[in-house]
Amino acid sequence: MEHTSEYLTFALGKGRLASKTLELLEGIGIMCEEIKDKDSRKLIFVNEEQKMRFFLAKGPDVPTYVEYGAADIGVVGKDTILEEDRRNYEVLDLKLGKCRMCVCGYESAGELLKHHEMIRVATKYPHIAKEYFYNRKQQTVDIIKLNGSIELAPIVGLSDVIVDIVETGSTLRENGLVVLEEICDLSARMIVNQVSMRMKSERINKLIKELKEKL
Ligand code: PRP
């Protein structure tokens, strides 16, 4: 456990979000030059002057690192936060990577949704799909977990609909699919370990305040 460490440790989700997050942090004077080196295989980066550490992890692992206190702070998509359902504080909407979680499929699948039929739902987000269909819509469905290219599922007949992220909508359009229902809005969020929030409250609150002013 790292709660007592003098460092403030950040877990950032790998990919597009990480570089935008680093830019945002730079805007409030938090620097980590080394981490931007795409060719580096180094896993953790330290800023000794500012007593900060940064590491990149797979998105779905970020809430796990934060819950166990291996990182004090995490930056990750709301989709991942909902899917992983970990005990962390969500403290700030960074307004980056805005998109929506939607039920999508062929226009014709709209009827199946309306009549609460037993349908097959393919998704990378089984927890979100289950929560939506079972609890919010009270509809029993068959959820099929996939790991990517979810739009393929209705096209090849694996499922009736999908639950997936829609950003520009071009993946749907290019494949003849449409948004049938909207589940929720998504964007990058900052999450904080519950113990760190108390033990390092001064540093963390200052950081949140400064970021808020930039948003
Ligand atoms: C995501 C998402 C959609 C697409 C939506 O996939 O799962 O497929 O982006 O973006 P759009 O509305 O702008 O077209 P991603 O590219 O991350 O890869 P994946 O399909 O392998 O998950």
Side-chain angles (χ1 to χ4, degrees):
M1 288 287 189
E2 293 280 359
H3 307 300
T4 52
S5 147
E6 58 177 329
Y7 289 93
L8 206 55
T9 303
F10 289 77
L12 308 179
K14 267 186 205 168
R16 281 173 281 190
L17 217 55
S19 44
K20 285 187 186 165
T21 305
L22 288 168
E23 265 175 47
L24 206 63
L25 291 172
E26 242 181 275
I28 60 163
I30 296 171
M31 297 292 178
C32 189
E33 286 302 326
E34 296 174 288
I35 203 168
K36 293 186 196 159
D37 176 6
K38 297 256 187 305
D39 299 325
S40 172
R41 300 292 295 165
K42 231 175 122 174
L43 295 172
I44 184 144
F45 305 90
V46 186
N47 181 325
E48 280 301 342
E49 293 95 87
Q50 298 183 319
K51 291 282 178 261
M52 303 228 181
R53 305 196 304 170
F54 303 84
F55 64 83
L56 296 174
K58 284 265 184 192
D61 294 338
V62 168
T64 312
Y65 283 108
V66 175
E67 183 182 88
Y68 285 92
D72 300 296
I73 294 173
V75 174
V76 70
K78 179 69 177 175
D79 52 323
T80 303
I81 296 172
L82 291 171
E83 186 62 24
E84 296 302 314
D85 201 20
R86 294 273 174 183
R87 281 167 301 176
N88 297 311
Y89 294 130
E90 185 184 315
V91 296
L92 193 60
D93 182 349
L94 297 174
K95 314 258 167 79
L96 299 172
K98 283 192 190 175
C99 51
R100 298 171 297 159
M101 186 65 75
C102 299
V103 180
C104 312
Y106 288 116
E107 194 90 58
S108 57
E111 284 301 308
L112 302 172
L113 289 171
K114 246 187 257 156
H115 299 124
H116 281 229
E117 289 191 41
M118 177 73 186
I119 53 169
R120 281 185 170 176
V121 181
T123 185
K124 205 153 81 172
Y125 303 92
H127 185 81
I128 295 175
K130 198 170 165 198
E131 171 70 27
Y132 179 71
F133 281 103
Y134 284 64
N135 298 342
R136 245 161 83 186
K137 289 199 63 183
Q138 314 257 305
Q139 179 174 8
T140 310
V141 297
D142 186 4
I143 294 168
I144 304 167
K145 157 91 195 220
L146 290 178
N147 295 294
S149 303
I150 316 300
E151 291 83 356
L152 258 179
I155 298 170
V156 299
L158 175 65
S159 71
D160 301 293
V161 297
I162 60 174
V163 165
D164 200 17
I165 291 174
V166 179
E167 193 178 354
T168 61
S170 58
T171 309
L172 291 179
R173 264 194 307 279
E174 286 181 33
N175 291 288
L177 304 170
V178 294
V179 170
L180 298 165
E181 291 175 358
E182 286 187 24
I183 300 178
C184 61
D185 286 328
L186 305 169
S187 57
R189 309 291 160 94
M190 180 173 279
I191 55 174
V192 176
N193 171 272
Q194 297 189 339
V195 178
S196 304
M197 198 68 222
R198 287 200 305 277
M199 306 280 284
K200 302 180 181 178
S201 61
E202 211 170 303
R203 290 184 78 188
I204 294 173
N205 283 322
K206 180 169 173 276
L207 179 81
I208 296 170
K209 187 170 163 274
E210 286 174 355
L211 281 172
K212 264 189 191 159
E213 282 163 9
K214 292 276 171 191
L215 294 172

